[in-house]
Amino acid sequence: MSVQVLLELLTAPNWGVHQPLVDRLLCWPGYPQLRQAALALDSSVLFASPIHGPGHIYRTLCHGAFCAMEEPLSPADTRLLLLACAYHDIGRENDSRDELHGWRAAQRLQAVTGLAGEDLKLVQAVVDAHSRDEADLRPTVEGYHLANLQRGLTLAALLKDADGLDRVRIWDLDPAYLRREASRQRVAFAKELYLRYQQKTGGALVPAFVQEWKHLDEQGNPLPPSAT
């Protein structure tokens, strides 16, 4: 299972230069929340895809936990951010660019999570905003009329970063688009997490469409001009 892969990778004592970062996460008081969120995730509602499916979701959960740790968030907001990370793509209908898949996911959150009241509105706003262009993030969150707008904007930015860090899976992460300096400092870790996850699950390091688009081989190396 994807969740067991993630938890086994995080607790493996062989992260090299990333070990201090991983150790901080494992010692963080919020780590049990990450573990619980991963174990409790309802994988049956996830979009079935090698690009936006379970692997992406579990890695996004991991990145979301780092975002919560670095911010730092309260335990209550950590829980809500992790729920947003878990279900942000359940409104997907395909793997293409689709600004409304966050909105569709938001409509399903009450049934999937059991959230109600302000907590539900907050997670809906954050999930809806994650698929919008940057200029539309604030208006989208404002549209949910939250009791604390800044709280919603903060969680929306952190979900964007957590989701964005896993763009390493399509070899298309530009750190300049990440919103927090702490997130930009974790780009190398995001690459290592993705590579280790794929190796452990037997997944392709470079999806076929990325190989063609980026002119890379299956290991991520540039193809010679004669091969493109």
Side-chain angles (χ1 to χ4, degrees):
M1 292 177 59
S2 298
V3 60
Q4 295 299 338
V5 170
L6 174 65
L7 296 176
E8 289 173 10
L9 285 174
L10 287 175
T11 54
N14 61 345
W15 279 95
V17 297
H18 304 295
Q19 193 65 57
L21 179 64
V22 174
D23 287 345
R24 282 184 59 215
L25 182 72
L26 297 178
C27 294
W28 173 51
Y31 177 72
Q33 288 185 271
L34 167 61
R35 182 179 175 82
Q36 176 59 28
L39 292 171
L41 193 152
D42 182 358
S43 60
S44 71
V45 303
L46 301 183
F47 182 58
S49 160
I51 305 299
H52 292 99
H56 166 60
I57 297 304
Y58 285 112
R59 291 189 300 271
T60 300
L61 267 175
C62 179
H63 295 312
F66 276 111
C67 287
M69 179 179 74
E70 298 287 6
E71 194 66 11
L73 295 183
S74 68
D77 282 359
T78 295
R79 171 176 172 265
L80 296 179
L81 176 61
L82 293 177
L83 283 171
C85 289
Y87 298 116
H88 71 280
D89 275 345
I90 61 174
R92 275 200 168 274
E93 298 175 345
N94 54 59
D95 282 313
S96 301
R97 178 177 172 79
D98 175 7
E99 286 194 10
L100 291 180
H101 78 264
W103 177 84
R104 288 193 295 271
Q107 310 316 300
R108 300 179 60 190
L109 285 173
Q110 183 175 25
V112 171
T113 67
L115 291 172
E118 190 68 15
D119 284 353
L120 175 62
K121 286 202 305 178
L122 181 61
V123 179
Q124 285 178 320
V126 170
V127 167
D128 188 349
H130 98 273
S131 62
R132 308 280 185 167
D133 284 341
E134 191 67 25
D136 295 324
L137 186 148
R138 186 183 184 97
T140 299
V141 175
E142 288 177 334
Y144 284 83
H145 307 291
L146 302 175
N148 185 332
L149 174 61
Q150 187 55 52
R151 186 183 179 206
L153 293 174
T154 295
L155 294 187
L158 296 180
L159 175 58
K160 282 261 197 183
D161 272 12
D163 188 28
L165 278 164
D166 200 47
R167 287 184 69 84
V168 294
R169 74 195 186 286
I170 59 172
W171 299 76
D172 190 42
L173 171 58
D174 182 348
Y177 286 94
L178 297 173
R179 291 143 196 85
R180 298 293 197 265
E181 177 59 30
S183 299
R184 290 189 283 272
Q185 292 177 359
R186 293 196 305 277
V187 169
F189 169 78
K191 293 177 182 177
E192 186 66 20
L193 177 64
Y194 170 73
L195 293 175
R196 290 182 182 220
Y197 190 97
Q198 292 300 93
Q199 289 165 353
K200 194 167 182 66
T201 59
L205 298 185
V206 186
F209 84 91
V210 175
Q211 293 178 40
E212 181 177 354
W213 169 42
K214 291 281 191 175
H215 304 301
L216 304 174
D217 65 18
E218 294 179 357
Q219 302 302 313
N221 302 309
L223 290 168
S226 60
T228 63

